[in-house]
Amino acid sequence: MARLLLLPGLLLLAAAPLAAQQTHVVRLSPSVARNVFRFSPGKVTVKPGDVVEFRAEAGTPYVVAFEPADLDPRGQGLLAAALARPRGELRTPVLADSGSRFRLTVPALRRGSYRFFCLTHLAYRMAGTLVVE
């Protein structure tokens, strides 16, 4: 009889989700009049499987790139695959219009901090950090 009660409990446990996926929105915010370009928030704490949505708030082109030096070869491969870019590039496509979005599902990167920056706004030091727990 104990075996009959144990089996349904194990089936319920196996069907339960491990963790809820979260979506983190990072706004690409310009203040052209003040010559300020930034990510908001500038630091995003995530877990593998979470989604980071980069969202352009104005019609200036943005390209979000990750610092390759922060990643080992395995991490570079995982991130390049998640970005779905040709030749393993560690960057998003161009976000050219207001409201343009790119959704990145965070791959199984090692715990740590990973820097990202805007290629088109390097002179403005537009940069942020992805912290993987």
Side-chain angles (χ1 to χ4, degrees), residues 1-2 4 8-9 12 20-21 23 28 38 47 52 66-67 78 83 85 88 95 104 118 121 123:
M1 181 68 168
L4 291 176
L12 285 174
Q21 178 187 54
T23 298
L28 289 68
R38 66 173 185 223
K47 294 181 179 169
V52 178
F66 286 84
E67 179 59 56
L78 290 171
L83 290 164
R85 297 297 299 158
L95 304 174
L104 168 68
C118 182
H121 297 99

Coordinates of all heavy atoms in Angstrom, one line a residue, residues 1-2 4 8-9 12 20-21 23 28 38 47 52 66-67 78 83 85 88 95 104 118 121 123:
M1 N 0.8 -1.2 0.0 CA 0.0 0.0 0.0 C 0.9 1.3 0.0 O 0.5 2.2 -0.7 CB -0.9 0.0 1.2 CG -1.8 1.1 1.3 SD -3.0 1.0 0.0 CE -4.2 2.3 0.5
A2 N 2.0 1.3 0.7 CA 2.9 2.4 0.8 C 3.4 2.7 -0.6 O 3.6 3.9 -0.9 CB 4.0 2.2 1.8
L4 N 1.9 2.3 -3.4 CA 0.9 2.9 -4.2 C 0.7 4.4 -3.9 O 0.5 5.2 -4.8 CB -0.5 2.2 -4.0 CG -0.5 0.7 -4.6 CD1 -1.9 0.1 -4.2 CD2 -0.4 0.7 -6.1
P8 N 2.3 8.2 -7.0 CA 1.7 9.5 -7.4 C 2.4 10.7 -6.9 O 2.6 11.7 -7.6 CB 0.2 9.5 -6.8 CG 0.0 8.0 -6.6 CD 1.3 7.4 -6.3
G9 N 3.0 10.7 -5.7 CA 3.7 11.8 -5.2 C 5.0 12.0 -6.0 O 5.4 13.2 -6.2
L12 N 4.1 13.7 -9.3 CA 3.8 15.2 -9.1 C 5.1 16.0 -9.0 O 5.3 17.0 -9.5 CB 2.9 15.4 -7.9 CG 1.4 15.0 -8.1 CD1 0.7 15.2 -6.8 CD2 0.8 15.9 -9.1
A20 N 11.0 29.4 -12.0 CA 10.3 30.2 -12.9 C 11.3 31.1 -13.7 O 12.2 31.6 -13.1 CB 9.3 31.1 -12.2
Q21 N 11.1 31.1 -15.0 CA 11.9 32.0 -15.9 C 11.5 33.4 -15.7 O 10.3 33.7 -15.6 CB 11.7 31.6 -17.3 CG 12.5 32.4 -18.3 CD 12.1 32.0 -19.7 OE1 10.9 32.0 -20.1 NE2 13.0 31.6 -20.5
T23 N 11.9 37.6 -16.9 CA 12.3 38.5 -18.0 C 12.8 39.8 -17.4 O 12.1 40.3 -16.6 CB 11.1 38.7 -19.0 OG1 10.7 37.5 -19.6 CG2 11.5 39.7 -20.1
L28 N 17.6 50.9 -23.6 CA 18.7 51.6 -24.2 C 18.3 53.1 -24.3 O 17.5 53.4 -25.2 CB 19.1 51.0 -25.5 CG 19.7 49.6 -25.5 CD1 18.8 48.5 -25.0 CD2 20.3 49.2 -26.8
R38 N 22.9 55.4 -22.2 CA 23.1 54.4 -21.1 C 22.1 53.2 -21.2 O 21.1 53.3 -21.9 CB 22.9 55.1 -19.7 CG 21.5 55.6 -19.5 CD 21.3 56.1 -18.1 NE 19.9 56.4 -18.0 CZ 19.4 57.4 -17.5 NH1 20.1 58.3 -17.0 NH2 18.1 57.6 -17.4
K47 N 19.7 34.4 -13.9 CA 20.0 33.0 -13.8 C 19.9 32.4 -15.2 O 19.2 32.9 -16.0 CB 19.0 32.3 -12.8 CG 19.1 32.7 -11.4 CD 18.1 32.0 -10.5 CE 18.4 32.6 -9.1 NZ 17.3 32.2 -8.2
V52 N 16.8 38.3 -21.1 CA 17.1 39.7 -21.0 C 16.6 40.3 -22.3 O 17.0 39.9 -23.4 CB 18.6 39.9 -20.9 CG1 19.0 41.4 -20.9 CG2 19.1 39.2 -19.6
F66 N 29.0 41.8 -26.1 CA 29.6 41.3 -24.9 C 31.1 41.2 -25.0 O 31.6 40.9 -26.1 CB 29.0 39.9 -24.6 CG 27.6 40.0 -24.1 CD1 26.5 40.0 -25.0 CD2 27.3 40.0 -22.7 CE1 25.2 40.1 -24.6 CE2 26.0 40.1 -22.3 CZ 24.9 40.2 -23.2
E67 N 31.8 41.5 -23.9 CA 33.2 41.5 -23.8 C 33.7 40.0 -23.9 O 33.5 39.2 -23.0 CB 33.7 42.1 -22.5 CG 35.2 42.2 -22.4 CD 35.9 42.9 -23.5 OE1 35.6 44.0 -23.8 OE2 36.8 42.2 -24.1
L78 N 28.5 29.2 -26.0 CA 27.1 29.3 -25.5 C 26.5 30.6 -25.8 O 25.3 30.7 -26.3 CB 27.1 29.0 -24.0 CG 27.4 27.5 -23.6 CD1 27.6 27.5 -22.1 CD2 26.4 26.6 -24.1
L83 N 22.9 34.2 -29.0 CA 22.7 35.4 -29.8 C 22.3 35.2 -31.2 O 21.8 36.0 -31.9 CB 23.9 36.3 -29.7 CG 24.2 36.9 -28.3 CD1 25.7 37.4 -28.3 CD2 23.3 38.1 -28.1
R85 N 24.1 34.7 -33.9 CA 24.8 35.6 -34.8 C 25.7 34.7 -35.7 O 26.2 33.7 -35.3 CB 25.6 36.6 -34.1 CG 24.8 37.6 -33.3 CD 23.8 38.4 -34.1 NE 24.5 39.2 -35.0 CZ 24.0 39.8 -36.1 NH1 22.7 39.5 -36.4 NH2 24.7 40.5 -36.9
G88 N 29.7 33.3 -34.9 CA 30.0 33.3 -33.5 C 30.2 34.7 -32.9 O 30.8 34.8 -31.8
L95 N 19.7 47.4 -33.5 CA 18.4 47.9 -33.1 C 18.2 49.3 -33.6 O 18.7 50.2 -32.9 CB 18.3 47.8 -31.5 CG 18.6 46.4 -31.0 CD1 18.6 46.4 -29.4 CD2 17.5 45.4 -31.5
L104 N 17.3 37.9 -25.4 CA 18.4 36.9 -25.2 C 18.0 36.0 -24.0 O 17.8 36.4 -22.9 CB 19.7 37.7 -24.8 CG 20.9 36.8 -24.3 CD1 21.4 35.9 -25.4 CD2 22.0 37.7 -23.7
C118 N 27.6 49.1 -25.8 CA 27.0 49.5 -27.1 C 28.1 49.8 -28.1 O 28.8 50.8 -27.9 CB 26.0 50.6 -27.0 SG 25.2 51.0 -28.5
H121 N 27.9 53.4 -29.5 CA 28.1 54.5 -28.6 C 29.3 54.3 -27.6 O 29.2 54.6 -26.4 CB 26.8 54.7 -27.8 CG 25.6 55.0 -28.7 ND1 24.7 54.1 -29.1 CD2 25.3 56.2 -29.2 CE1 23.8 54.7 -29.9 NE2 24.2 56.0 -30.0
A123 N 32.1 55.9 -27.6 CA 32.6 57.2 -27.2 C 31.8 57.7 -26.0 O 32.4 58.5 -25.2 CB 32.5 58.1 -28.3

